[in-house]
Amino acid sequence: MTVYSCRICKFRYDEWLGDTKNGVPPGVPFPHLAGSVCTDCQMDEEGRHLPLPETKYTNVEATYYDQFAGKASIAFYRNWLLRESEQALVSVLELGVGTGRIAIELARNGLSVCGIDWSPEMLEMAAKKKRRMLKGKEELLDLVEQNMWEIELDRQFTHVLLPEGIFQQATCRDRQRQLLSVIHDYITEDGTLAIDLLLPPVKNQWTTMQRKFVFPDRMVYQKVEGETSLLEQKFRYTLTYETFLEQIEQPRYRVEREMALLLPTELVLLLEGSGFRVTYSKENVFHKQDFEPSQADDGYDMDRWQHGGYPFAEPVGTPGGATRWTILAKKISSSTL
């Protein structure tokens, strides 16, 4: 389900919401509207109505991203790629690099990474972290402002990462196949693709809430309200940030996003039909802290806690709660096709 906008009269139609003024119920596809809603354009002029692009991560969402994403997947990708580097030279392309949570940890451990994102604000934050955390290793991380649908790079990579549900921004099968085709061109022979798949709570409608102190005088509430359409195989959520500075409410920030509802077995089949061979598929959520209370005095251990996830990170063990799967797939050599 998508939001369409007329490029001439600016009329907008949201397939999730329908149109109450004109009696259109929620869930009616845009092509069914011709001649029935807008008196200015009749809704049937070809090329006049275009789907709105995905909203970029900007404003306080970029500012607070790390605060609520936590350490999800960082240790997994670092440890896996360091093992891979023991066998052969590793070069990494991360799509949707954002603030560099994963990419900077990889570069900090000596791996070469190119991070792509289309949000200037997220890349600016990643660049600041790069200057602060990669002194003497800055050359290991390239940050590039590009749309992942239109990658233009001059090299291939042994590993391509799509963390935190980035792949699910492709909300239909044709777009998913198109994205995999683009990615396929930038992976070396026998290289590996890694995809994080986000599964929302097992409900038609759901709400999650997180809050924390930030900077350190601000209390920030992150509320996620979502709905799932099994018929359309999509889920949509509204993310709201409410910030209180010394108990005084600051302006709110709210954004809506739509993602594909894609089960792990569906993604496996899609990958296998797009020139990849799946080698690993597993729920990638940190369920247990394997240390004794006496270890609390052993000093700082950056991997001791690994909870997190964006946009929703529910308490471990929540029945029917949101979860994350990680799927690894090797590019099939052209000689074996």
Side-chain angles (χ1 to χ4, degrees):
M1 297 184 186
T2 307
V3 179
Y4 287 84
S5 177
C6 177
R7 58 186 177 83
I8 299 176
C9 74
K10 307 305 179 185
F11 175 83
R12 287 192 178 186
Y13 177 72
D14 187 327
E15 291 181 330
W16 279 89
L17 305 179
D19 187 333
T20 53
K21 175 184 176 183
N22 290 287
V24 181
V28 174
F30 175 80
H32 294 183
L33 299 182
S36 65
V37 176
C38 180
T39 57
D40 291 330
C41 62
Q42 305 299 315
M43 306 300 293
D44 56 4
E45 184 177 329
E46 186 175 353
R48 180 167 173 169
H49 302 89
L50 302 175
L52 294 179
E54 179 75 13
T55 305
K56 295 183 180 182
Y57 290 77
T58 60
N59 204 283
V60 298
E61 186 177 18
T63 302
Y64 296 152
Y65 184 88
D66 284 356
Q67 303 291 331
F68 290 95
K71 293 188 175 181
S73 297
I74 294 178
F76 171 83
Y77 281 118
R78 180 199 64 214
N79 295 341
W80 166 56
L81 289 168
L82 285 176
R83 289 194 300 270
E84 295 277 289
S85 69
E86 294 173 357
Q87 308 300 320
L89 185 66
V90 165
S91 58
V92 180
L93 172 64
E94 183 183 349
L95 304 185
V97 69
T99 62
R101 279 187 332 115
I102 296 171
I104 287 175
E105 176 65 9
L106 299 179
R108 199 175 68 84
N109 282 274
L111 300 176
S112 174
V113 185
C114 176
I116 286 181
D117 205 290
W118 74 331
S119 168
E121 292 189 33
M122 295 286 269
L123 287 175
E124 182 180 355
M125 296 183 70
K128 290 179 180 178
K129 291 165 65 175
K130 173 182 174 179
R131 291 191 294 269
R132 185 178 75 252
M133 301 175 66
L134 294 181
K135 292 181 179 178
K137 297 182 178 180
E138 293 91 343
E139 73 283 354
L140 291 176
L141 175 58
D142 290 329
L143 297 171
V144 181
E145 184 181 340
Q146 285 189 15
N147 189 324
M148 65 181 179
W149 303 97
E150 302 168 355
I151 302 175
E152 293 184 4
L153 299 172
D154 58 1
R155 62 192 187 279
Q156 290 184 312
F157 302 85
T158 62
H159 296 76
V160 177
L161 313 183
L162 282 81
E164 296 297 305
I166 295 298
F167 181 76
Q168 290 162 273
Q169 291 182 7
T171 55
C172 66
R173 286 291 185 267
D174 287 344
R175 292 284 279 173
Q176 291 161 7
R177 294 189 183 95
Q178 177 190 351
L179 182 54
L180 288 175
S181 176
V182 171
I183 293 169
H184 195 276
D185 292 340
Y186 285 95
I187 301 182
T188 59
E189 293 295 323
D190 296 320
T192 302
L193 169 64
I195 296 178
D196 278 348
L197 200 61
L198 300 184
L199 298 180
V202 187
K203 303 173 185 176
N204 290 333
Q205 295 185 320
W206 34 271
T207 301
T208 65
M209 170 76 80
Q210 298 184 76
R211 60 180 179 178
K212 70 165 296 178
F213 283 107
V214 178
F215 302 145
D217 55 350
R218 298 169 184 259
M219 173 60 79
V220 180
Y221 293 77
Q222 183 207 61
K223 185 176 183 180
V224 181
E225 300 171 282
E227 54 186 319
T228 301
S229 171
L230 295 178
L231 179 63
E232 297 292 336
Q233 287 195 277
K234 297 176 184 178
F235 65 94
R236 187 177 191 174
Y237 64 89
T238 299
L239 183 146
T240 305
Y241 279 112
E242 297 178 338
T243 303
F244 292 83
L245 178 60
E246 301 296 344
Q247 289 78 52
I248 299 176
E249 185 174 9
Q250 309 301 301
R252 295 184 184 184
Y253 177 84
R254 177 171 291 178
V255 65
E256 290 191 351
R257 300 194 183 282
E258 181 180 77
M259 302 180 75
L261 178 63
L262 196 59
L263 297 179
T265 51
E266 292 178 296
L267 180 55
V268 168
L269 291 173
L270 185 61
L271 287 166
E272 290 176 345
S274 301
F276 295 92
R277 175 174 55 85
V278 174
T279 59
Y280 175 95
S281 176
K282 189 175 181 180
E283 185 183 23
N284 189 14
V285 176
F286 196 74
H287 286 295
K288 183 180 178 183
Q289 306 303 146
D290 294 318
F291 71 95
E292 298 296 329
S294 60
Q295 292 179 268
D297 296 329
D298 291 347
Y300 178 70
D301 177 4
M302 68 176 293
D303 292 335
R304 181 170 294 170
W305 303 101
Q306 296 176 32
H307 182 62
Y310 198 87
F312 27 66
E314 295 189 279
V316 173
T318 302
T323 188
R324 175 193 296 101
W325 281 69
T326 297
I327 294 176
L328 309 181
K330 278 193 170 293
K331 178 179 176 180
I332 299 175
S333 173
S334 57
S335 61
T336 62
L337 292 176

